[in-house]
Amino acid sequence: MTRSQLKKASLLLTGLAIGGNLFAQSQDTTKTMSTDYVQPFSSGSAFRTWSVGFEGGVLTPYSIFSIKNQDFHSPHEKIGYGGFIKDQILPSFGLQLNFMKGNVAGAVTPANEANGTYTSFNTDINYSVDLAANFTLANINWRHNKSGIQPYLTLGGGVIGYSAVVNDNGTVTRQQRTHDFYLPVGAGFKIDLAKGVNLDLGYQVNFVNADDFDGIVGGSTNDRFSYGHVGLEFALGSRSKPQLATHNPVSSMRTEYLMDEQRLQLQVDRQRAENERLKSDLSATNAKVDKLTVDTDGDGVPDIFDKCPNTPAGTAVDGSGCPLPVKKPDVKVYVTQEDKKVVNEAVKNLEFDFGKSTIREHSFESLNKLAQLLVSKGFNLKLAGYTDNVGSEAANLKLSRERAEAVKTYLAQQGADASKIQAEGYGKANPIATNKTEKGRQINRRVEFSMF
């Protein structure tokens, strides 16, 4: 195997191993995604960055640094308390405004008389306010979605106001209230108790920029005291957002990778389903096309459109597959004088009820003879209805048409072919007599017959 092939095989095996590991953790990622997932490179508005804390603990002049250079070598423990408000600017960096009050006390050991006759002191911290940088450690975790513990370091500066009481073998000396700059340096860790709630365990050494914090001036260094505390931190803002200080961006990147993979797989599944649907539609279409081409009786019309299946071979058919009617030879029929007489009798005896299209009974006999003539000889007949000029033009036109249709209907009822009878109404047009007399108007109220 060449070096190039070996390199490709190694990359492939590495990719398979990583992919298998990510799939194995997908269930864990799904759980995390619902509460702590934030799209990578999102702005600070996607997190809860502000928080407040309250704490209480022990104040003592003893610290992790040497106490030999302090004015009092026997530290006493006193109660202190405080609080803070913090803005987490970056996942690992925030600014914290701290407040603290309490008492610091100490004494001189019998073996050390460097301070003369002073035996003890008690300093009342009236207030201390400082602004500190908070560096969160180990919140970026490559093995777990979220770390349960976040170590941190703090460094700041502020102002402390205090007054001390010094015991000089029974003589008490009170120091006037004063204030100085001090430098707090601390470390600790926070434990996640619930979403947005952390247990804060910390230790802090406070370097005072003065040597009279304990009420006296002595020694070669400024005074300092320590503060060990326990408290609770509460994240501010919407509970649907994760706290930036406890958020693991590596987990969101991993979740984003798996989500992209899931979206891609979903697209593949949808495309596969779409392909199956298209394949099914194509099969159905092909089946329909096959039906369109089947012609069982061979008449040239596919069965799906053939309304007259199984026609005998050689039969001429129309577009629907039905046999074409056999064309009968034309037979010329002539209208005789006798035929015209029948028509004239029908016209002469035709009467209607006044203002109606109802044919009077004495007209039926001549109309019956006309119907028999139409049936026997197959004549075509045109009926033209007319009225006098009494009434509106629209009413007369309607009445003339209805009377012509009434004659057509009657003849059809007697067996005549209705398709060979044409009925029209012309109203008061084409009068054949004057409309000034009743007789003339009676003549104009007529239905003309034209047979051919």
Side-chain angles (χ1 to χ4, degrees), residues 40-103:
F41 308 108
S42 296
S43 63
S45 61
F47 301 92
R48 286 193 281 179
T49 59
W50 288 93
S51 62
V52 295
F54 307 95
E55 61 197 28
V58 177
L59 290 167
T60 174
Y62 177 79
S63 69
I64 59 174
F65 303 98
S66 174
I67 198 174
K68 293 181 179 181
N69 295 328
Q70 298 295 298
D71 300 329
F72 295 87
H73 297 168
S74 178
H76 294 171
E77 291 76 23
K78 294 291 185 178
I79 299 299
Y81 60 92
F84 65 85
I85 181 170
K86 183 179 72 169
D87 180 17
Q88 194 73 27
I89 301 173
L90 298 173
S92 299
F93 174 76
L95 289 178
Q96 183 170 311
L97 182 65
N98 300 286
F99 172 79
M100 182 183 63
K101 287 193 67 173
N103 294 90

Short mmCIF file of all heavy atoms in Angstrom, two decimals, residues 40-103:
data_model
loop_
_atom_site.label_atom_id
_atom_site.label_comp_id
_atom_site.label_asym_id
_atom_site.label_seq_id
_atom_site.Cartn_x
_atom_site.Cartn_y
_atom_site.Cartn_z
N PRO A 40 -24.07 28.38 17.74
CA PRO A 40 -22.72 28.95 17.86
C PRO A 40 -22.62 30.34 17.25
O PRO A 40 -23.29 30.65 16.26
CB PRO A 40 -21.85 27.93 17.11
CG PRO A 40 -22.60 26.64 17.20
CD PRO A 40 -24.05 27.03 17.16
N PHE A 41 -21.81 31.17 17.88
CA PHE A 41 -21.53 32.54 17.46
C PHE A 41 -22.77 33.44 17.60
O PHE A 41 -22.88 34.45 16.91
CB PHE A 41 -21.02 32.58 16.01
CG PHE A 41 -19.86 31.66 15.76
CD1 PHE A 41 -20.02 30.51 14.99
CD2 PHE A 41 -18.61 31.92 16.30
CE1 PHE A 41 -18.97 29.65 14.76
CE2 PHE A 41 -17.54 31.07 16.07
CZ PHE A 41 -17.72 29.93 15.31
N SER A 42 -23.68 33.07 18.50
CA SER A 42 -24.82 33.93 18.77
C SER A 42 -24.39 35.12 19.61
O SER A 42 -23.36 35.09 20.30
CB SER A 42 -25.93 33.16 19.50
OG SER A 42 -26.44 32.13 18.69
N SER A 43 -25.18 36.19 19.58
CA SER A 43 -24.88 37.38 20.37
C SER A 43 -25.20 37.13 21.84
O SER A 43 -25.80 36.12 22.22
CB SER A 43 -25.70 38.57 19.86
OG SER A 43 -27.08 38.33 20.02
N GLY A 44 -24.78 38.10 22.68
CA GLY A 44 -25.01 37.96 24.11
C GLY A 44 -26.46 37.93 24.50
O GLY A 44 -26.81 37.45 25.58
N SER A 45 -27.36 38.42 23.63
CA SER A 45 -28.78 38.42 23.96
C SER A 45 -29.37 37.01 24.04
O SER A 45 -30.47 36.83 24.56
CB SER A 45 -29.55 39.23 22.93
OG SER A 45 -29.40 38.68 21.63
N ALA A 46 -28.63 36.02 23.55
CA ALA A 46 -29.12 34.64 23.61
C ALA A 46 -28.87 34.01 24.97
O ALA A 46 -29.30 32.88 25.21
CB ALA A 46 -28.46 33.80 22.51
N PHE A 47 -28.18 34.72 25.87
CA PHE A 47 -27.81 34.16 27.18
C PHE A 47 -28.32 35.06 28.30
O PHE A 47 -28.70 36.22 28.08
CB PHE A 47 -26.29 34.04 27.31
CG PHE A 47 -25.64 33.17 26.26
CD1 PHE A 47 -25.17 33.72 25.08
CD2 PHE A 47 -25.50 31.82 26.47
CE1 PHE A 47 -24.57 32.93 24.11
CE2 PHE A 47 -24.89 31.02 25.51
CZ PHE A 47 -24.43 31.58 24.34
N ARG A 48 -28.28 34.48 29.49
CA ARG A 48 -28.47 35.29 30.70
C ARG A 48 -27.07 35.70 31.18
O ARG A 48 -26.29 34.85 31.61
CB ARG A 48 -29.21 34.51 31.77
CG ARG A 48 -30.69 34.36 31.48
CD ARG A 48 -31.45 33.86 32.68
NE ARG A 48 -31.30 32.41 32.83
CZ ARG A 48 -31.85 31.70 33.82
NH1 ARG A 48 -32.55 32.32 34.75
NH2 ARG A 48 -31.69 30.41 33.88
N THR A 49 -26.76 36.99 31.10
CA THR A 49 -25.42 37.46 31.45
C THR A 49 -25.37 38.15 32.81
O THR A 49 -24.31 38.21 33.42
CB THR A 49 -24.91 38.42 30.37
OG1 THR A 49 -25.82 39.52 30.25
CG2 THR A 49 -24.83 37.71 29.01
N TRP A 50 -26.49 38.66 33.26
CA TRP A 50 -26.52 39.34 34.55
C TRP A 50 -26.92 38.37 35.66
O TRP A 50 -27.76 37.50 35.46
CB TRP A 50 -27.49 40.52 34.52
CG TRP A 50 -27.00 41.68 33.72
CD1 TRP A 50 -27.24 41.92 32.42
CD2 TRP A 50 -26.17 42.75 34.18
NE1 TRP A 50 -26.61 43.08 32.01
CE2 TRP A 50 -25.95 43.62 33.08
CE3 TRP A 50 -25.59 43.07 35.41
CZ2 TRP A 50 -25.18 44.78 33.18
CZ3 TRP A 50 -24.83 44.23 35.51
CH2 TRP A 50 -24.62 45.06 34.41
N SER A 51 -26.32 38.55 36.82
CA SER A 51 -26.65 37.71 37.98
C SER A 51 -26.39 38.50 39.26
O SER A 51 -25.62 39.47 39.27
CB SER A 51 -25.83 36.42 37.98
OG SER A 51 -24.44 36.71 38.08
N VAL A 52 -27.03 38.08 40.33
CA VAL A 52 -26.81 38.66 41.66
C VAL A 52 -26.49 37.53 42.63
O VAL A 52 -26.87 36.37 42.40
CB VAL A 52 -28.04 39.44 42.15
CG1 VAL A 52 -28.29 40.64 41.27
CG2 VAL A 52 -29.27 38.54 42.20
N GLY A 53 -25.76 37.86 43.69
CA GLY A 53 -25.39 36.85 44.68
C GLY A 53 -25.43 37.41 46.08
O GLY A 53 -25.25 38.61 46.30
N PHE A 54 -25.66 36.52 47.03
CA PHE A 54 -25.67 36.86 48.46
C PHE A 54 -24.83 35.81 49.18
O PHE A 54 -24.91 34.62 48.85
CB PHE A 54 -27.11 36.87 49.00
CG PHE A 54 -28.03 37.74 48.19
CD1 PHE A 54 -28.81 37.20 47.17
CD2 PHE A 54 -28.11 39.10 48.45
CE1 PHE A 54 -29.66 38.00 46.43
CE2 PHE A 54 -28.97 39.90 47.69
CZ PHE A 54 -29.75 39.36 46.69
N GLU A 55 -24.06 36.28 50.15
CA GLU A 55 -23.09 35.36 50.77
C GLU A 55 -22.88 35.72 52.22
O GLU A 55 -23.19 36.83 52.68
CB GLU A 55 -21.76 35.44 50.01
CG GLU A 55 -21.17 36.84 50.06
CD GLU A 55 -20.10 37.08 49.02
OE1 GLU A 55 -20.15 36.43 47.96
OE2 GLU A 55 -19.21 37.92 49.27
N GLY A 56 -22.34 34.80 52.95
CA GLY A 56 -21.94 35.01 54.33
C GLY A 56 -20.76 34.11 54.65
O GLY A 56 -20.57 33.06 54.00
N GLY A 57 -19.92 34.52 55.62
CA GLY A 57 -18.75 33.70 55.90
C GLY A 57 -17.96 34.19 57.09
O GLY A 57 -18.48 34.86 57.99
N VAL A 58 -16.68 33.88 57.05
CA VAL A 58 -15.77 34.14 58.18
C VAL A 58 -14.72 35.16 57.75
O VAL A 58 -14.08 35.00 56.71
CB VAL A 58 -15.09 32.84 58.65
CG1 VAL A 58 -14.11 33.14 59.78
CG2 VAL A 58 -16.15 31.84 59.12
N LEU A 59 -14.52 36.19 58.61
CA LEU A 59 -13.46 37.19 58.42
C LEU A 59 -12.37 36.97 59.46
O LEU A 59 -12.67 36.75 60.65
CB LEU A 59 -14.03 38.61 58.56
CG LEU A 59 -14.96 39.10 57.44
CD1 LEU A 59 -15.68 40.37 57.86
CD2 LEU A 59 -14.15 39.35 56.17
N THR A 60 -11.14 37.02 59.02
CA THR A 60 -10.01 36.81 59.94
C THR A 60 -8.78 37.50 59.40
O THR A 60 -8.60 37.60 58.17
CB THR A 60 -9.74 35.30 60.10
OG1 THR A 60 -8.54 35.13 60.88
CG2 THR A 60 -9.54 34.61 58.77
N PRO A 61 -7.90 38.01 60.32
CA PRO A 61 -6.65 38.62 59.84
C PRO A 61 -5.66 37.58 59.31
O PRO A 61 -4.69 37.94 58.66
CB PRO A 61 -6.09 39.33 61.07
CG PRO A 61 -6.71 38.63 62.23
CD PRO A 61 -8.08 38.19 61.76
N TYR A 62 -5.93 36.32 59.55
CA TYR A 62 -5.05 35.27 59.02
C TYR A 62 -5.37 35.06 57.54
O TYR A 62 -6.51 35.14 57.11
CB TYR A 62 -5.27 33.97 59.78
CG TYR A 62 -4.45 32.82 59.25
CD1 TYR A 62 -3.11 32.70 59.59
CD2 TYR A 62 -5.02 31.89 58.39
CE1 TYR A 62 -2.34 31.66 59.08
CE2 TYR A 62 -4.27 30.85 57.87
CZ TYR A 62 -2.93 30.73 58.23
OH TYR A 62 -2.17 29.71 57.72
N SER A 63 -4.31 34.79 56.76
CA SER A 63 -4.49 34.51 55.35
C SER A 63 -3.48 33.46 54.93
O SER A 63 -2.65 33.00 55.74
CB SER A 63 -4.31 35.79 54.51
OG SER A 63 -2.95 36.22 54.54
N ILE A 64 -3.55 33.07 53.66
CA ILE A 64 -2.61 32.06 53.17
C ILE A 64 -1.20 32.62 53.08
O ILE A 64 -0.24 31.86 52.92
CB ILE A 64 -3.06 31.56 51.78
CG1 ILE A 64 -3.13 32.72 50.77
CG2 ILE A 64 -4.40 30.83 51.87
CD1 ILE A 64 -3.42 32.28 49.36
N PHE A 65 -1.08 33.94 53.16
CA PHE A 65 0.24 34.55 53.19
C PHE A 65 0.74 34.59 54.64
O PHE A 65 -0.02 34.43 55.59
CB PHE A 65 0.20 35.96 52.59
CG PHE A 65 -0.34 35.98 51.18
CD1 PHE A 65 -1.66 36.30 50.94
CD2 PHE A 65 0.48 35.64 50.12
CE1 PHE A 65 -2.16 36.30 49.64
CE2 PHE A 65 0.00 35.65 48.82
CZ PHE A 65 -1.33 35.97 48.58
N SER A 66 2.00 34.86 54.84
CA SER A 66 2.61 34.81 56.18
C SER A 66 1.97 35.83 57.10
O SER A 66 1.68 36.96 56.70
CB SER A 66 4.13 35.08 56.07
OG SER A 66 4.69 35.18 57.36
N ILE A 67 1.76 35.45 58.35
CA ILE A 67 1.19 36.36 59.35
C ILE A 67 2.26 36.97 60.25
O ILE A 67 1.98 37.79 61.11
CB ILE A 67 0.14 35.61 60.20
CG1 ILE A 67 -0.77 36.62 60.92
CG2 ILE A 67 0.82 34.66 61.18
CD1 ILE A 67 -1.93 35.98 61.66
N LYS A 68 3.51 36.56 60.03
CA LYS A 68 4.58 37.03 60.91
C LYS A 68 4.79 38.54 60.81
O LYS A 68 5.19 39.17 61.79
CB LYS A 68 5.89 36.32 60.55
CG LYS A 68 5.86 34.84 60.85
CD LYS A 68 7.20 34.19 60.49
CE LYS A 68 7.18 32.69 60.81
NZ LYS A 68 8.48 32.05 60.48
N ASN A 69 4.51 39.11 59.64
CA ASN A 69 4.72 40.55 59.48
C ASN A 69 3.50 41.38 59.88
O ASN A 69 3.51 42.59 59.70
CB ASN A 69 5.08 40.86 58.02
CG ASN A 69 6.40 40.24 57.61
OD1 ASN A 69 7.31 40.10 58.45
ND2 ASN A 69 6.53 39.89 56.32
N GLN A 70 2.45 40.75 60.41
CA GLN A 70 1.27 41.47 60.86
C GLN A 70 1.45 41.95 62.30
O GLN A 70 2.29 41.44 63.06
CB GLN A 70 0.03 40.57 60.75
CG GLN A 70 -0.27 40.14 59.31
CD GLN A 70 -0.63 41.32 58.44
OE1 GLN A 70 -1.62 41.99 58.67
NE2 GLN A 70 0.20 41.59 57.44
N ASP A 71 0.60 42.94 62.67
CA ASP A 71 0.73 43.52 64.02
C ASP A 71 0.23 42.58 65.10
O ASP A 71 0.73 42.58 66.23
CB ASP A 71 -0.06 44.83 64.07
CG ASP A 71 0.47 45.85 63.06
OD1 ASP A 71 1.68 45.81 62.77
OD2 ASP A 71 -0.35 46.64 62.53
N PHE A 72 -0.79 41.76 64.78
CA PHE A 72 -1.34 40.80 65.73
C PHE A 72 -1.21 39.40 65.15
O PHE A 72 -1.60 39.15 64.02
CB PHE A 72 -2.82 41.12 66.01
CG PHE A 72 -3.03 42.44 66.70
CD1 PHE A 72 -3.14 43.62 65.98
CD2 PHE A 72 -3.09 42.50 68.09
CE1 PHE A 72 -3.32 44.83 66.61
CE2 PHE A 72 -3.27 43.72 68.74
CZ PHE A 72 -3.39 44.90 68.00
N HIS A 73 -0.65 38.49 65.95
CA HIS A 73 -0.31 37.16 65.44
C HIS A 73 -1.31 36.08 65.81
O HIS A 73 -1.13 34.93 65.41
CB HIS A 73 1.07 36.75 65.95
CG HIS A 73 2.17 37.65 65.46
ND1 HIS A 73 3.45 37.63 65.98
CD2 HIS A 73 2.17 38.61 64.50
CE1 HIS A 73 4.19 38.53 65.37
NE2 HIS A 73 3.43 39.16 64.46
N SER A 74 -2.33 36.44 66.58
CA SER A 74 -3.32 35.43 66.99
C SER A 74 -4.68 35.84 66.41
O SER A 74 -5.39 36.66 67.00
CB SER A 74 -3.40 35.35 68.52
OG SER A 74 -4.39 34.41 68.90
N PRO A 75 -5.06 35.29 65.23
CA PRO A 75 -6.31 35.72 64.59
C PRO A 75 -7.54 35.14 65.28
O PRO A 75 -7.52 34.03 65.80
CB PRO A 75 -6.17 35.16 63.16
CG PRO A 75 -5.29 33.97 63.32
CD PRO A 75 -4.32 34.29 64.43
N HIS A 76 -8.59 35.94 65.31
CA HIS A 76 -9.90 35.49 65.76
C HIS A 76 -10.86 35.48 64.57
O HIS A 76 -10.70 36.25 63.64
CB HIS A 76 -10.44 36.41 66.86
CG HIS A 76 -9.63 36.37 68.11
ND1 HIS A 76 -9.81 37.24 69.16
CD2 HIS A 76 -8.61 35.55 68.49
CE1 HIS A 76 -8.95 36.97 70.13
NE2 HIS A 76 -8.19 35.95 69.73
N GLU A 77 -11.86 34.61 64.62
CA GLU A 77 -12.81 34.49 63.51
C GLU A 77 -14.07 35.30 63.83
O GLU A 77 -14.63 35.18 64.92
CB GLU A 77 -13.19 33.03 63.25
CG GLU A 77 -12.08 32.19 62.68
CD GLU A 77 -11.03 31.79 63.73
OE1 GLU A 77 -11.38 31.79 64.92
OE2 GLU A 77 -9.89 31.50 63.34
N LYS A 78 -14.48 36.11 62.88
CA LYS A 78 -15.70 36.91 63.00
C LYS A 78 -16.60 36.68 61.76
O LYS A 78 -16.16 36.19 60.74
CB LYS A 78 -15.37 38.40 63.11
CG LYS A 78 -14.63 38.76 64.40
CD LYS A 78 -15.55 38.61 65.61
CE LYS A 78 -14.85 39.08 66.88
NZ LYS A 78 -15.75 38.99 68.06
N ILE A 79 -17.84 37.09 61.93
CA ILE A 79 -18.82 36.89 60.85
C ILE A 79 -18.78 38.08 59.87
O ILE A 79 -18.68 39.24 60.28
CB ILE A 79 -20.24 36.74 61.42
CG1 ILE A 79 -20.30 35.51 62.33
CG2 ILE A 79 -21.26 36.61 60.28
CD1 ILE A 79 -19.99 34.23 61.62
N GLY A 80 -18.86 37.74 58.57
CA GLY A 80 -18.98 38.75 57.52
C GLY A 80 -20.08 38.35 56.53
O GLY A 80 -20.45 37.18 56.43
N TYR A 81 -20.56 39.31 55.84
CA TYR A 81 -21.60 39.03 54.84
C TYR A 81 -21.52 40.07 53.72
O TYR A 81 -20.91 41.14 53.89
CB TYR A 81 -22.99 39.05 55.46
CG TYR A 81 -23.38 40.36 56.09
CD1 TYR A 81 -24.06 41.33 55.36
CD2 TYR A 81 -23.05 40.64 57.42
CE1 TYR A 81 -24.42 42.54 55.93
CE2 TYR A 81 -23.39 41.85 58.00
CZ TYR A 81 -24.08 42.80 57.26
OH TYR A 81 -24.42 43.99 57.80
N GLY A 82 -22.11 39.74 52.60
CA GLY A 82 -22.06 40.66 51.47
C GLY A 82 -22.89 40.17 50.30
O GLY A 82 -23.69 39.23 50.41
N GLY A 83 -22.66 40.81 49.20
CA GLY A 83 -23.39 40.46 47.98
C GLY A 83 -22.69 41.03 46.77
O GLY A 83 -21.69 41.76 46.90
N PHE A 84 -23.20 40.71 45.61
CA PHE A 84 -22.59 41.20 44.38
C PHE A 84 -23.61 41.21 43.25
O PHE A 84 -24.65 40.54 43.31
CB PHE A 84 -21.38 40.35 43.98
CG PHE A 84 -21.71 38.93 43.61
CD1 PHE A 84 -22.11 38.60 42.31
CD2 PHE A 84 -21.66 37.91 44.55
CE1 PHE A 84 -22.42 37.30 41.96
CE2 PHE A 84 -21.97 36.62 44.21
CZ PHE A 84 -22.36 36.30 42.92
N ILE A 85 -23.27 41.97 42.22
CA ILE A 85 -23.99 41.94 40.95
C ILE A 85 -22.94 41.81 39.85
O ILE A 85 -21.92 42.50 39.89
CB ILE A 85 -24.88 43.18 40.75
CG1 ILE A 85 -25.63 43.06 39.42
CG2 ILE A 85 -24.08 44.46 40.84
CD1 ILE A 85 -26.71 44.12 39.26
N LYS A 86 -23.18 40.90 38.92
CA LYS A 86 -22.15 40.57 37.94
C LYS A 86 -22.72 40.61 36.53
O LYS A 86 -23.86 40.23 36.29
CB LYS A 86 -21.57 39.17 38.21
CG LYS A 86 -20.43 38.79 37.28
CD LYS A 86 -19.87 37.41 37.61
CE LYS A 86 -20.82 36.33 37.20
NZ LYS A 86 -20.22 34.98 37.26
N ASP A 87 -21.88 41.09 35.61
CA ASP A 87 -22.20 41.05 34.18
C ASP A 87 -21.17 40.17 33.50
O ASP A 87 -19.98 40.51 33.46
CB ASP A 87 -22.18 42.46 33.58
CG ASP A 87 -22.51 42.46 32.08
OD1 ASP A 87 -23.06 41.46 31.60
OD2 ASP A 87 -22.21 43.47 31.42
N GLN A 88 -21.64 39.01 32.99
CA GLN A 88 -20.74 38.08 32.31
C GLN A 88 -20.58 38.54 30.86
O GLN A 88 -21.47 38.35 30.03
CB GLN A 88 -21.30 36.65 32.37
CG GLN A 88 -20.31 35.58 31.99
CD GLN A 88 -19.25 35.36 33.06
OE1 GLN A 88 -19.50 35.62 34.24
NE2 GLN A 88 -18.08 34.91 32.66
N ILE A 89 -19.44 39.13 30.55
CA ILE A 89 -19.22 39.70 29.23
C ILE A 89 -18.85 38.63 28.22
O ILE A 89 -19.33 38.61 27.09
CB ILE A 89 -18.13 40.80 29.31
CG1 ILE A 89 -18.58 41.89 30.28
CG2 ILE A 89 -17.84 41.38 27.93
CD1 ILE A 89 -17.54 42.94 30.56
N LEU A 90 -17.98 37.70 28.62
CA LEU A 90 -17.56 36.58 27.79
C LEU A 90 -17.78 35.30 28.56
O LEU A 90 -17.96 35.34 29.80
CB LEU A 90 -16.08 36.73 27.40
CG LEU A 90 -15.70 37.97 26.57
CD1 LEU A 90 -14.18 38.05 26.43
CD2 LEU A 90 -16.37 37.94 25.22
N PRO A 91 -17.75 34.14 27.91
CA PRO A 91 -17.95 32.90 28.67
C PRO A 91 -16.99 32.73 29.84
O PRO A 91 -17.35 32.12 30.85
CB PRO A 91 -17.74 31.80 27.60
CG PRO A 91 -18.10 32.46 26.31
CD PRO A 91 -17.65 33.88 26.45
N SER A 92 -15.79 33.29 29.73
CA SER A 92 -14.78 33.10 30.78
C SER A 92 -14.40 34.40 31.47
O SER A 92 -13.47 34.43 32.27
CB SER A 92 -13.52 32.45 30.20
OG SER A 92 -13.80 31.19 29.67
N PHE A 93 -15.12 35.50 31.19
CA PHE A 93 -14.74 36.77 31.80
C PHE A 93 -15.99 37.59 32.10
O PHE A 93 -16.89 37.72 31.28
CB PHE A 93 -13.83 37.58 30.86
CG PHE A 93 -13.52 38.95 31.36
CD1 PHE A 93 -12.61 39.16 32.39
CD2 PHE A 93 -14.15 40.06 30.81
CE1 PHE A 93 -12.34 40.44 32.85
CE2 PHE A 93 -13.88 41.35 31.27
CZ PHE A 93 -12.97 41.53 32.29
N GLY A 94 -16.00 38.16 33.33
CA GLY A 94 -17.08 39.03 33.72
C GLY A 94 -16.60 40.10 34.67
O GLY A 94 -15.51 40.00 35.25
N LEU A 95 -17.41 41.15 34.82
CA LEU A 95 -17.14 42.21 35.78
C LEU A 95 -18.14 42.10 36.92
O LEU A 95 -19.35 41.95 36.67
CB LEU A 95 -17.23 43.58 35.11
CG LEU A 95 -16.10 43.93 34.14
CD1 LEU A 95 -16.34 45.29 33.51
CD2 LEU A 95 -14.74 43.89 34.82
N GLN A 96 -17.61 42.20 38.17
CA GLN A 96 -18.44 41.94 39.34
C GLN A 96 -18.29 43.09 40.33
O GLN A 96 -17.18 43.46 40.71
CB GLN A 96 -18.01 40.61 39.97
CG GLN A 96 -18.83 40.17 41.16
CD GLN A 96 -18.49 38.74 41.55
OE1 GLN A 96 -18.46 37.84 40.72
NE2 GLN A 96 -18.21 38.54 42.83
N LEU A 97 -19.42 43.70 40.72
CA LEU A 97 -19.44 44.75 41.74
C LEU A 97 -19.80 44.11 43.08
O LEU A 97 -20.88 43.53 43.23
CB LEU A 97 -20.46 45.82 41.36
CG LEU A 97 -20.56 47.02 42.31
CD1 LEU A 97 -19.26 47.82 42.29
CD2 LEU A 97 -21.73 47.92 41.91
N ASN A 98 -18.86 44.19 44.07
CA ASN A 98 -19.01 43.50 45.35
C ASN A 98 -19.26 44.49 46.48
O ASN A 98 -18.78 45.62 46.47
CB ASN A 98 -17.75 42.70 45.66
CG ASN A 98 -17.45 41.66 44.61
OD1 ASN A 98 -18.10 40.64 44.51
ND2 ASN A 98 -16.44 41.94 43.77
N PHE A 99 -19.99 44.01 47.49
CA PHE A 99 -20.23 44.77 48.72
C PHE A 99 -20.04 43.81 49.90
O PHE A 99 -20.46 42.65 49.84
CB PHE A 99 -21.66 45.33 48.72
CG PHE A 99 -22.03 45.96 50.04
CD1 PHE A 99 -21.60 47.24 50.35
CD2 PHE A 99 -22.80 45.27 50.96
CE1 PHE A 99 -21.93 47.82 51.57
CE2 PHE A 99 -23.14 45.85 52.18
CZ PHE A 99 -22.70 47.13 52.48
N MET A 100 -19.42 44.31 50.98
CA MET A 100 -19.16 43.44 52.14
C MET A 100 -19.16 44.26 53.43
O MET A 100 -18.74 45.43 53.44
CB MET A 100 -17.81 42.73 51.98
CG MET A 100 -17.48 41.78 53.12
SD MET A 100 -15.85 41.03 52.90
CE MET A 100 -14.79 42.47 52.95
N LYS A 101 -19.62 43.63 54.52
CA LYS A 101 -19.57 44.19 55.88
C LYS A 101 -19.18 43.08 56.85
O LYS A 101 -19.25 41.90 56.52
CB LYS A 101 -20.91 44.78 56.29
CG LYS A 101 -21.27 46.09 55.60
CD LYS A 101 -22.45 46.76 56.28
CE LYS A 101 -22.05 47.22 57.68
NZ LYS A 101 -23.10 48.03 58.34
N GLY A 102 -18.73 43.49 58.06
CA GLY A 102 -18.40 42.49 59.07
C GLY A 102 -17.38 43.02 60.06
O GLY A 102 -17.15 44.24 60.17
N ASN A 103 -16.77 42.09 60.81
CA ASN A 103 -15.75 42.43 61.82
C ASN A 103 -14.53 41.56 61.63
O ASN A 103 -14.63 40.38 61.28
CB ASN A 103 -16.30 42.21 63.23
CG ASN A 103 -17.42 43.18 63.56
OD1 ASN A 103 -18.59 42.87 63.32
ND2 ASN A 103 -17.09 44.33 64.10
#
